[in-house]
Amino acid sequence: QVQLVESGGGLVQAGGSLRLTCSASDTIFTYNDMAWYRQAPGKQRELVAQIIRAGGQSYTDYSEFVKGRFTISRAYPKNTVDLQMNNLKPEDAAVYYCNADQNLWGQGTQVTVSS
């Protein structure tokens, strides 16, 4: 099974930016749907952003909470899926998880946002 490893988390001031990277141990071409989720303490895991391959093109979808601030992208040659997070808010603090086709997960990376 392909393994997913997230990196890039850390501590950032509100209004700052972070780039998260999901690195796959093998090709991600077989996965039509790649996504980033997050889970804050005491809360359910929620979908943040996803990138879907359909009809030879890629489409993106975002949570209303992050739309306009976050950008998901995929780099097939590098087997990576990135999440660029701009204008971070304290409410964005959570463990962020990479997901492939809704059933394969990474271990998560912590994002902390200070006010």
Side-chain angles (χ1 to χ4, degrees), residues 16-46:
S17 299
L18 283 174
R19 180 185 290 272
L20 306 183
T21 297
C22 173
S23 299
S25 59
D26 206 346
T27 180
I28 60 172
F29 182 77
T30 57
Y31 299 107
N32 295 317
D33 186 347
M34 299 292 297
W36 283 93
Y37 288 73
R38 68 186 182 188
Q39 186 169 24
K43 295 185 178 295
Q44 295 291 317
R45 190 170 298 186
E46 65 178 9

Side-chain angles (χ1 to χ4, degrees), residues 38 65-66 69-70 87-94 96 111 113:
R38 68 186 182 188
F65 296 107
V66 307
R69 299 188 296 120
F70 291 10
N87 192 24
L88 283 160
K89 303 176 180 180
E91 304 91 272
D92 295 319
Y96 283 71
V111 172
V113 184

Side-chain angles (χ1 to χ4, degrees), residues 3-114:
Q3 293 184 334
L4 304 177
V5 179
E6 302 95 332
S7 62
L11 173 64
V12 65
Q13 189 81 18
S17 299
L18 283 174
R19 180 185 290 272
L20 306 183
T21 297
C22 173
S23 299
S25 59
D26 206 346
T27 180
I28 60 172
F29 182 77
T30 57
Y31 299 107
N32 295 317
D33 186 347
M34 299 292 297
W36 283 93
Y37 288 73
R38 68 186 182 188
Q39 186 169 24
K43 295 185 178 295
Q44 295 291 317
R45 190 170 298 186
E46 65 178 9
L47 177 65
V48 176
Q50 63 183 146
I51 184 163
I52 303 167
R53 184 181 65 243
Q57 294 184 324
S58 291
Y59 303 87
T60 57
D61 192 28
Y62 298 92
S63 163
E64 291 296 326
F65 296 107
V66 307
K67 189 175 297 183
R69 299 188 296 120
F70 291 10
T71 303
I72 188 170
S73 60
R74 176 163 47 194
Y76 284 111
K78 297 169 61 178
N79 294 325
T80 59
V81 178
D82 284 7
L83 183 69
Q84 177 66 45
M85 306 185 295
N86 297 327
N87 192 24
L88 283 160
K89 303 176 180 180
E91 304 91 272
D92 295 319
V95 176
Y96 283 71
Y97 298 90
C98 182
N99 174 268
D101 278 351
Q102 304 179 65
N103 56 23
L104 179 62
W105 297 91
Q107 82 293 332
T109 186
Q110 178 73 51
V111 172
T112 303
V113 184
S114 62

